Amino acid sequence: MTILVVEDEEGIVSFVRRGLEDAGHRVVTASDGVDGLVMALSTDVELIVLDLGLPHLSGEEVLRRLRLRRPSVPVIVLTAKDAVSDRIANLDAGADDYMVKPFSVNELLARVRARLRTGGQDRTDALTAGDITLDLARHIAFVAGATISLSAREFDLLSVFLHHPGQVFSQTRLLDLVWGYDFDGASNVVEVYISQLRRKLGAEHIQTVRGVGYRLSDGAR
Ligand code: CA
């Protein structure tokens, strides 16, 4: 059982590491959001303890991007923020549980045990809408049973639509979700990727809602 701890405060990392290792877990660590996301995408990692205040990429952003690829790996969020609305926002963004600092190691171990018991049961590693299926663990897309080769970005973009089948997404929202807030490339990147997806999936699968954005078409839901 490998647990990833993503936290930039060394004191907390060593405290958490000691507690988890004493309980028999293998622990790997990352001290910023970028390294944390890369390690979190590795399938060896079976549970993630994620701090929200991280350098380079915030914990919220790590969580959002992680969920596109690995919807079922359990994530326990560490937060210094005590506001109820923050907690709810974190859970909405795909955290399974949260702990407010400071916390005791026994409390953390209890949460880890609970998450490992229930982890993955309420989510699946495959998404389906109409004749499109995404195998998130193996990163493969199928349309009507045939394998479609997608780039990592195309895959992430399509998985946003499959996570929310009826929902219309504006270009700005898609940029935030798939490319991240700090993206400063070409402004038509979303349009370009939508047309690539249409070419690969069949144009009828993604509908343009004029003046608003894009969604999966009715036939694909
Ligand atoms: Ca921090």
Side-chain angles (χ1 to χ4, degrees):
M1 175 60 60
T2 299
I3 297 180
L4 169 64
V5 179
V6 190
E7 165 65 83
D8 58 322
E9 285 173 61
E10 278 177 35
I12 297 179
V13 173
S14 60
F15 157 79
V16 167
R17 176 196 282 280
R18 221 169 25 243
L20 291 172
E21 284 179 347
D22 286 349
H25 301 292
R26 202 172 91 81
V27 176
V28 292
T29 63
S31 58
D32 69 65
V34 173
D35 286 350
L37 179 60
V38 169
M39 292 173 74
L41 291 173
S42 151
T43 47
D44 293 344
V45 169
E46 288 158 284
L47 183 141
I48 298 162
V49 177
L50 177 67
D51 182 34
L52 289 185
L54 291 170
H56 305 321
L57 194 64
S58 73
E60 286 91 340
E61 193 60 21
V62 170
L63 191 55
R64 213 176 346 260
R65 295 192 196 181
L66 173 67
R67 283 306 182 214
L68 295 176
R69 307 270 185 93
R70 297 192 69 193
S72 66
V73 64
V75 176
I76 300 173
V77 155
L78 303 181
T79 176
K81 302 168 190 166
D82 198 9
V84 170
S85 61
D86 284 338
R87 298 181 182 184
I88 291 168
N90 295 332
L91 293 174
D92 279 353
D96 297 279
D97 206 345
Y98 58 86
M99 300 193 53
V100 177
K101 297 176 189 174
F103 54 86
S104 75
V105 82
N106 284 337
E107 192 185 350
L108 176 64
L109 290 173
R111 306 283 178 106
V112 166
R113 277 194 302 274
R115 285 345 302 180
L116 292 178
R117 268 200 305 274
T118 60
Q121 280 175 7
D122 55 349
R123 293 206 190 93
T124 160
D125 277 334
L127 290 172
T128 299
D131 61 359
I132 303 174
T133 298
L134 289 185
D135 179 332
L136 297 155
R138 292 186 299 155
H139 232 249
I140 303 173
F142 302 91
V143 175
T147 309
I148 306 293
S149 164
L150 298 179
S151 70
R153 283 288 190 217
E154 290 165 352
F155 192 92
D156 288 350
L157 180 58
L158 185 56
S159 88
V160 169
F161 288 114
L162 266 79
H163 274 292
H164 308 278
Q167 196 171 322
V168 180
F169 290 92
S170 68
Q171 292 204 11
T172 314
R173 183 86 182 111
L174 291 172
L175 257 190
D176 286 349
L177 288 170
V178 178
W179 282 266
Y181 295 100
D182 50 356
F183 179 76
D184 61 352
S187 60
N188 67 340
V189 66
V190 172
E191 253 172 277
V192 169
Y193 273 82
I194 291 283
S195 71
Q196 285 169 201
L197 274 185
R198 281 176 168 152
R199 204 166 50 239
K200 292 183 176 183
L201 305 174
E204 70 282 7
H205 286 94
I206 298 174
Q207 192 182 350
T208 301
V209 181
R210 208 167 287 284
V212 187
Y214 306 97
R215 72 169 166 219
L216 275 189
S217 25
D218 294 337
R221 289 188 251 143

